[in-house]
Amino acid sequence: MGLKDLPSVDEVLKDARIQSLEEVCARNLVVQAVRDELDVLRAEILSTGNRWTREEARERVVVEVVRRLKALYNGSLRKVINATGVVLHTNLGRAPLSLETAEHIARLAQGYCNLEMDLEEGKRGSRYQHLESIILSLTGAEAALVVNNNAAAVLLVLNTLAREREVIVSRGQLVEIGGSFRIPEIMALSGAKMVEVGTTNKTYLSDFEQAVSPDTALLLAVHTSNYRIVGFTQEVPLRELVGLGCRLGLPVVQDLGSGCLIDLSPWGLTAEPTVQECIKDGVDLVTFSGDKLLGGLQAGIIVGKKHLIDAMKHNHLLRALRVDKLTIAGLEAALGCYITGEPQNRIPVLQMLTQDPAGLEITADRLCHAIREELQGQFDVRVVELNDKVGGGAYPLQELPGYGVEIAPGFDPGQLAYRLRTLEPALLPRIKEGAIIISVRTLQAGEVDLVPGLLRRAMEAL
Ligand SMILES: *Cc1c(COP(=O)(O)O)cnc(C)c1O
């Protein structure tokens, strides 16, 4: 077929499938999509010389237009059942929220709220005051400020306290966190000059001391969230760095990353310092994420000395990094779960991390039976022991003993995993040689019961 035989826009618009699209999409969007798809086809014919009949060409344009517009009105975010056993899965939105937190957000989202109004006085208030008292009582800090994420928190701290001045940091702590947070880059963006001291494996207090100059604005410690340096190593303990800062009158800032607010060592998770410990050690400012171990929403929380927090409140950069009402609502509810003193029973991330392996085994047994029944004994299905992960750049070496159900389909498990990923809801399993594994740790309430049916649908589609 030559180009002149391509169907016309009007011809495509007459198709019944396109006509029914016009009930849910504005006509100009439909017409534009048809033009675009005809252009795509024209370009393809020119470049490949492919031959299409007029009918085939029309069919292909209709199918593509329907696909394109459906994606527009359905959006592309899908519910995903996380069966990977990675609790803080960055690609899956990090921390899932509890129902009560989600409901609090929904309630406030649907109407107006007192985001920036003092209802007692009937006057203008500040969005930052809603979270301040709860953060202070949980962390023991003097003052707090919440911004868009922890990257923004670090940027704001450096820009406020160290623009055009020097920041001293250990070479062993120049971290890169997934999604392109890198200490040297954030330092450059903030306008601060980075002064690296020590070596990759060893940094001493004397390295900091020798690097101090009249231009030094602060001493920075960065938590090596997603890696560990082991072997012949030396780090400067936070308390010693604070001592040096005190002697020299320089603020000490700790980028903590995870923002753990409870001691998880009773559950075998050690070596992640809590925010409270950093404050107790005398650090001037601590920055951390709202959606890692804290288990709330994407946010960056800065806590510490009041005069430093006040300086940041006066930095105009804050206007560009500010949080919206939904984040404040969600954080308020998530932090509220800590007030009872037993957040591990109410924050989903903490529930998943502190689950008793015996309980996981029972769930895996139950799921295994349900899957066997649903698949009518056609495949090799069995309970397996697993090592789950914290994820989200926290506890990189920690393995969480868990349980899962392994399904060996007898063909390429990657193909089965693809089918599962493209169902609604999507199911994301682990893949190993010859099999997929459903880890039960990261399944949320009600999801265990959905898994057998999803597996059957995926198998049927093959
Ligand atoms: C995760 C992390 C960040 C980035 O935090 P976001 O909330 O993802 O912006 C920065 N520093 C450290 C040490 C981290 O672990």
Side-chain angles (χ1 to χ4, degrees), residues 90-161:
T90 303
N91 304 147
L92 301 181
R94 283 197 189 154
L97 302 177
S98 66
L99 184 62
E100 56 191 322
T101 299
E103 282 175 352
H104 188 64
I105 297 171
R107 209 166 29 243
L108 284 155
Q110 282 190 308
Y112 299 101
C113 67
N114 61 331
L115 180 66
E116 291 191 352
M117 175 166 269
D118 180 334
L119 292 174
E120 290 276 323
E121 302 286 328
K123 285 201 257 167
R124 179 174 189 143
S126 157
R127 71 178 58 217
Y128 298 108
Q129 85 200 12
H130 298 286
L131 295 168
E132 191 153 6
S133 47
I134 193 165
I135 295 173
L136 301 191
S137 50
L138 293 174
T139 61
E142 280 176 28
L145 181 61
V146 179
V147 292
N148 181 55
N149 56 15
N150 190 35
V154 177
L155 179 67
L156 182 64
V157 169
L158 295 174
N159 181 265
T160 308
L161 305 181

Side-chain angles (χ1 to χ4, degrees), residues 94 148-154 175 177-178 181 183 222-226 255-258 272 287-292 298-300 392-394:
R94 283 197 189 154
N148 181 55
N149 56 15
N150 190 35
V154 177
V175 308
I177 309 279
F181 174 89
I183 290 292
V222 184
H223 184 54
T224 56
S225 304
N226 53 2
D255 173 17
L256 193 54
S258 282
E272 189 82 22
T287 66
F288 54 98
S289 290
D291 59 350
K292 290 186 182 170
Q298 179 191 302

Side-chain angles (χ1 to χ4, degrees), residues 19-287:
Q19 299 258 304
S20 65
L21 268 182
E22 285 190 38
E23 286 164 23
V24 287
C25 291
R27 186 175 165 83
N28 62 334
L29 287 180
V30 179
V31 173
Q32 190 57 50
V34 172
R35 289 213 174 100
D36 288 349
E37 286 304 333
L38 282 168
D39 284 346
V40 170
L41 194 60
R42 191 172 294 119
E44 191 181 308
I45 290 169
L46 284 175
S47 71
T48 64
N50 272 354
R51 304 225 146 249
W52 300 74
T53 67
R54 196 181 181 89
E55 255 323 293
E56 281 169 350
R58 203 176 77 111
E59 182 61 21
R60 154 127 162 209
V61 170
V62 168
V63 167
E64 288 301 313
V65 167
V66 168
R67 198 182 49 78
R68 186 193 278 231
L69 290 176
K70 272 202 172 145
L72 277 191
Y73 66 76
N74 287 335
S76 62
L77 278 175
R78 296 279 175 276
K79 195 165 168 51
V80 176
I81 295 176
N82 176 9
T84 63
V86 179
V87 175
L88 290 167
H89 201 304
T90 303
N91 304 147
L92 301 181
R94 283 197 189 154
L97 302 177
S98 66
L99 184 62
E100 56 191 322
T101 299
E103 282 175 352
H104 188 64
I105 297 171
R107 209 166 29 243
L108 284 155
Q110 282 190 308
Y112 299 101
C113 67
N114 61 331
L115 180 66
E116 291 191 352
M117 175 166 269
D118 180 334
L119 292 174
E120 290 276 323
E121 302 286 328
K123 285 201 257 167
R124 179 174 189 143
S126 157
R127 71 178 58 217
Y128 298 108
Q129 85 200 12
H130 298 286
L131 295 168
E132 191 153 6
S133 47
I134 193 165
I135 295 173
L136 301 191
S137 50
L138 293 174
T139 61
E142 280 176 28
L145 181 61
V146 179
V147 292
N148 181 55
N149 56 15
N150 190 35
V154 177
L155 179 67
L156 182 64
V157 169
L158 295 174
N159 181 265
T160 308
L161 305 181
R163 198 161 65 93
E164 286 166 22
R165 298 185 60 203
E166 291 175 357
V167 173
I168 309 178
V169 61
S170 161
R171 287 201 170 88
Q173 299 183 345
L174 300 179
V175 308
E176 171 172 318
I177 309 279
S180 72
F181 174 89
R182 306 175 100 196
I183 290 292
E185 269 78 356
I186 216 88
M187 198 79 79
L189 267 176
S190 75
K193 283 178 243 167
M194 183 168 77
V195 177
E196 304 167 38
V197 296
T199 60
T200 304
N201 55 331
K202 287 209 172 205
T203 303
Y204 303 92
L205 192 64
S206 56
D207 294 322
F208 277 88
E209 270 172 316
Q210 283 159 20
V212 171
S213 82
D215 259 353
T216 306
L218 61 88
L219 310 177
L220 179 67
V222 184
H223 184 54
T224 56
S225 304
N226 53 2
Y227 67 98
R228 294 285 179 265
I229 295 176
V230 294
F232 189 58
T233 64
Q234 176 77 41
E235 269 201 350
V236 180
L238 200 52
R239 225 172 290 165
E240 286 183 23
L241 201 60
V242 169
L244 180 64
C246 277
R247 260 190 287 137
L248 301 171
L250 291 171
V252 173
V253 176
Q254 164 88 62
D255 173 17
L256 193 54
S258 282
C260 193
L261 290 175
I262 64 164
D263 176 14
L264 289 170
S265 57
W267 294 277
L269 290 147
T270 50
E272 189 82 22
T274 63
V275 178
Q276 299 90 306
E277 280 163 8
C278 295
I279 293 293
K280 218 179 263 165
D281 282 345
V283 176
D284 296 273
L285 289 174
V286 185
T287 66

Side-chain angles (χ1 to χ4, degrees), residues 341-355:
E342 296 197 327
Q344 69 275 17
N345 299 330
R346 297 175 69 194
I347 298 269
V349 166
L350 299 177
Q351 281 173 330
M352 287 185 269
L353 290 176
T354 59
Q355 276 176 103

